[in-house]
Every structure is written in structure tokens, then in C-alpha cells.
Amino acid sequence: PTTASHYWDYTREVANGVAWWETSIFQDDYFGSNSPDNEDHIVTEGRWGYLPIMANAREFSTIVNPYGLLRSPWNTNPVPYLMRSNETVGIYADGYQNFATCKDFAEAIDDHSFSDLMNALNGELHGPVHIMIGGHWGMSELYKKIFLKLKGGADAFLLMAKYLWRQGVIRVPEYCAKDTPGEHCKSTCPESIVGAKKGLDVEEIFHRYGLYNVSDNIGTMVRLGHLMGATDWEILQELCSFGYPGEMFTSSAPQDPTFWPLHGNVERVLQLLRVKKHAKKYEFDETWGYEHKSYTPSDTHHVCDWTGVEGMEMPTCYSGTCPGHRADDLLPFGGLMEDQDGFYTNQEFYDLISPGNSEMPYVYDSIDFWPGCTDASLWKEYEIYATKTKSETFNSGSSYGKPAA
């Protein structure tokens, strides 16, 4: 190895009594403000000030926004710089009080399954950090008021809108000139798809396209909208407009430099468990899997095929696992290893980054030094959690999984 890879152990903030927004990582000489004080939410200060988002990206990728920026097609924001906000649809930090704690990681480790661990890592262990840094703005006051009444859960706005977009309900302009104002380059739900404005039944639309399966709050949101004087058409079209999320709350998150140390920390967890398994101190089922715990707005079990779709035609949708999540799906990255010949599958890449592979070009300075944990050790925190859980489960007369040896 020639590189000591970087990581951000964000469990330290809670342990040290530091508010998440005041952590040193957001200082200008590190990664810059988590919520810049300007109208467009652009990071303007420090080494990452005015970091550009790739423009004219149609030459680089088939997935770009209408302005040709390397963003998701539905993210029609024309501002070509890195943006962040600590508010999500008007809710501070989407209602989260802090980042994940060491105990949260220890609890996930106790599942002893790669599939379950991926569910936890993709969810509460690191997902909120993306939302808290990225944020979401640019919509009217209607949904802000709704989520204030609900006291959180505002991330569902974007995730539900994306679900409608994948199914073809929301349509986005294919092209907007560089000087087109943002208000004239918006996504919408066309009447030719959802029905006429007059007499539209938004609950029927939400039922038809499965939104009631991905959020428990849909019915309440509609009722609150009505109580606030909004029509069914307004409730639908506000959702269809998307607004503007910051990079970290989107698929273009790698263009925010905080993306990289965040995921380095996640890999440390996985490498620690693989080392402990090799030492026969931990039982770990490494069978590839993308566990679906429940229906959530970001994990809908729904795949839509857009092959041959033209104009206002609709895609063919079916239940399944999205391409990219399966063991034999290809990762479209070259030049990762000197002898790489073609693309790696997910399974091949997982095998490649084994902590026992001496050909790896990078290492971490530590995989079990976690200052936010008991004795500064994630493994120690896990042993405490596993022993306590085993004792409580045994006393209840129930079966239980094996804790650490």
C-alpha cells in the first residue's frame, strides 16, 4: 500500500458533546460550511469555495440535468457550484439531533450478516449525514408547513418525488439554455399523464403509483394540505416541482468533498468485521445481499424499464432489485488497479478490497480506533452490547444469535 486513506469518524461529535453543525470538519480550512449564508446556498469560503459542478457534462455522461450539469435529470438547479443547506424543506437537519453514535454501529454489527449490515450502513448509520449536509430548498411554503406540522420526515418529499419520476409521472425538460431562469426550467406532472386539473383526485394518484406503500404519512400530508387551503392539483404539482437539493442529498454527492471521508469511515466498519472473522472472533455471513427491511421512499422494490419509451409513453415497471445492487452488476470504473482488465462486478470488488489483499493500494491508519466508543474501540463497544443483549434475551427465554467470542 502507498496511501493512508482518509476517513471521518463522525461518532466523536456526540461523545465529545459537540453539536454536529459545529464540528471542525465544517471549518473553512477543512471542508467548508454546512449551510452557507447566501441565497443560492453556495459554498463560497475556504479551499472548496466556489467548487464547480461539472458543466457541459453531456460529453461525459448520459445522465445530466437540463442545463448539462452533472446532476440528476430531475435536479434542475442551474447554479454550477457546490451547494449545501442544513434545512430540508424547512426542517432543521431533517429533524435529526446528531450523527450516528458508536452504540448505533455496535447494534448493527450484532446482526452478523453482510446483507443486514448494508441495510444499516445505507440507512441510519450514514444516510442522515447526507441529508443534514445536503439539505433541500426551492419549493413553496405548502410542504414546509406540512412538515412543520408533522415535526420532521421532510426528506420524504424528495424521495417520493423521485419515485414518481422513475415511474414516468413527473417529466423534466430535456434541455434548458444556460441563460434560462430556473423558474422556467422546472419539472411537472403533465395533465396527459395524471388527468385534468379540474376534478383531479390526488389521493387516487398517490394510490395508483404506490406512494402509500412507501410512506405512512401520505394520507396525513394530503389532509394537512387541504386544511391549509391547497387544492388537490396544488398538492400534486408542488411535489412534482422537486425544488433544489444540495449535492450530498443526491446522486451527485461525490462532487461534495465530504462524501469521501464519510464513506471511508463506513468501509472501516466492514474491514474490522472481516479481520475479526478471519481471526475466528466473529461469525459473519458474507453472502451478497441487498436486504429490504421494509418499504421506504428510497427503497421501493420497483424497477422501471424505459427502453424504447418516447414522448409521453410510460415505462414498464415491475417488482425487483434496481440494477447496480446485485452481486454480478458491473461497477463502471476503470484504472482502480494496475492489472485491471475490464470492469469489476460488485462481488469481485468486494473480494478485491479484502483486508488480507496485500496488493491493495491503500490502508487505514486504524480500523478499531474509535474515540467515541468505550475504551476508544468499536469492537469493545460491540462486545459490551452483544453480552448485554445475550443476557437480556437469555433471561427472557428467547433464542438469540451468537455474540463475539
Side-chain angles (χ1 to χ4, degrees), residues 20 85-97 131-132 135-136 139 143-155:
W20 73 267
S85 174
N86 56 25
E87 287 193 357
T88 302
V89 196
I91 302 295
Y92 190 80
D94 195 32
Y96 291 100
Q97 300 299 313
I131 302 170
M132 295 159 80
H136 192 189
M139 66 291 297
Y143 276 92
K144 291 181 182 180
K145 293 177 181 178
I146 288 174
F147 287 114
L148 282 172
K149 285 287 186 181
L150 291 174
K151 299 180 179 180
D155 58 287

Side-chain angles (χ1 to χ4, degrees), residues 163 292 295 300-304 316-322 326:
Y163 189 30
H292 291 86
Y295 283 100
T300 61
H301 312 238
H302 217 180
V303 180
C304 293
T316 300
C317 299
Y318 55 91
S319 296
T321 300
C322 289
R326 297 166 299 208

Side-chain angles (χ1 to χ4, degrees), residues 293-351:
K293 290 287 188 180
S294 61
Y295 283 100
T296 64
S298 62
D299 193 4
T300 61
H301 312 238
H302 217 180
V303 180
C304 293
D305 183 1
W306 283 80
T307 304
V309 174
E310 297 181 357
M312 290 298 161
E313 295 176 349
M314 299 295 279
T316 300
C317 299
Y318 55 91
S319 296
T321 300
C322 289
H325 294 161
R326 297 166 299 208
D328 58 353
D329 285 337
L330 295 176
L331 293 166
F333 305 114
L336 300 179
M337 301 289 285
E338 288 186 3
D339 60 351
Q340 181 176 347
D341 181 20
F343 294 142
Y344 296 118
T345 66
N346 280 322
Q347 185 65 62
E348 288 171 341
F349 188 72
Y350 181 81
D351 296 339

Side-chain angles (χ1 to χ4, degrees), residues 91-323:
I91 302 295
Y92 190 80
D94 195 32
Y96 291 100
Q97 300 299 313
N98 47 253
F99 300 138
T101 66
C102 182
K103 184 178 179 181
D104 295 328
F105 278 88
E107 182 177 352
I109 290 172
D110 201 37
D111 283 333
H112 296 267
S113 161
F114 172 82
S115 179
D116 287 335
L117 181 64
M118 289 302 99
N119 185 77
L121 290 174
N122 286 323
E124 292 302 305
L125 295 184
H126 106 284
V129 183
H130 278 269
I131 302 170
M132 295 159 80
I133 295 177
H136 192 189
W137 62 92
M139 66 291 297
S140 76
E141 295 297 311
L142 175 61
Y143 276 92
K144 291 181 182 180
K145 293 177 181 178
I146 288 174
F147 287 114
L148 282 172
K149 285 287 186 181
L150 291 174
K151 299 180 179 180
D155 58 287
F157 179 92
L158 177 60
L159 301 177
M160 291 186 298
K162 284 164 58 177
Y163 189 30
L164 290 179
W165 172 74
R166 293 190 188 107
Q167 297 179 81
V169 180
I170 297 178
R171 298 301 172 108
V172 180
E174 291 187 10
Y175 175 84
C176 293
K178 187 176 181 180
D179 58 354
T180 302
E183 61 267 24
H184 297 312
C185 187
K186 289 280 191 179
S187 58
T188 185
C189 289
E191 289 188 61
S192 59
I193 292 175
V194 300
K197 177 178 180 179
K198 184 177 181 180
L200 181 132
D201 185 340
V202 70
E203 291 191 85
E204 191 277 327
I205 295 291
F206 288 167
H207 272 296
R208 187 194 313 170
Y209 293 103
L211 290 194
Y212 280 84
N213 292 329
V214 298
S215 174
D216 295 332
N217 286 327
I218 295 293
T220 304
M221 290 165 60
V222 172
R223 287 191 292 273
L224 287 172
H226 288 156
L227 289 173
M228 294 172 185
T231 65
D232 282 30
W233 181 259
E234 290 168 338
I235 293 171
L236 175 63
Q237 290 300 334
E238 275 302 308
L239 184 62
C240 297
S241 70
F242 268 104
Y244 298 149
E247 258 58 55
M248 277 291 276
F249 193 15
T250 73
S251 57
S252 65
Q255 295 187 97
D256 188 319
T258 60
F259 175 93
W260 300 99
L262 169 62
H263 290 83
N265 199 49
V266 169
E267 185 181 16
R268 291 172 71 225
V269 181
L270 184 60
Q271 301 295 54
L272 174 63
L273 300 188
R274 298 175 82 175
V275 167
K276 292 296 184 182
K277 178 183 179 179
H278 180 75
K280 301 187 184 306
K281 293 184 177 181
Y282 178 70
E283 291 191 359
F284 190 37
D285 180 2
E286 294 184 81
T287 304
W288 186 271
Y290 190 73
E291 185 71 15
H292 291 86
K293 290 287 188 180
S294 61
Y295 283 100
T296 64
S298 62
D299 193 4
T300 61
H301 312 238
H302 217 180
V303 180
C304 293
D305 183 1
W306 283 80
T307 304
V309 174
E310 297 181 357
M312 290 298 161
E313 295 176 349
M314 299 295 279
T316 300
C317 299
Y318 55 91
S319 296
T321 300
C322 289

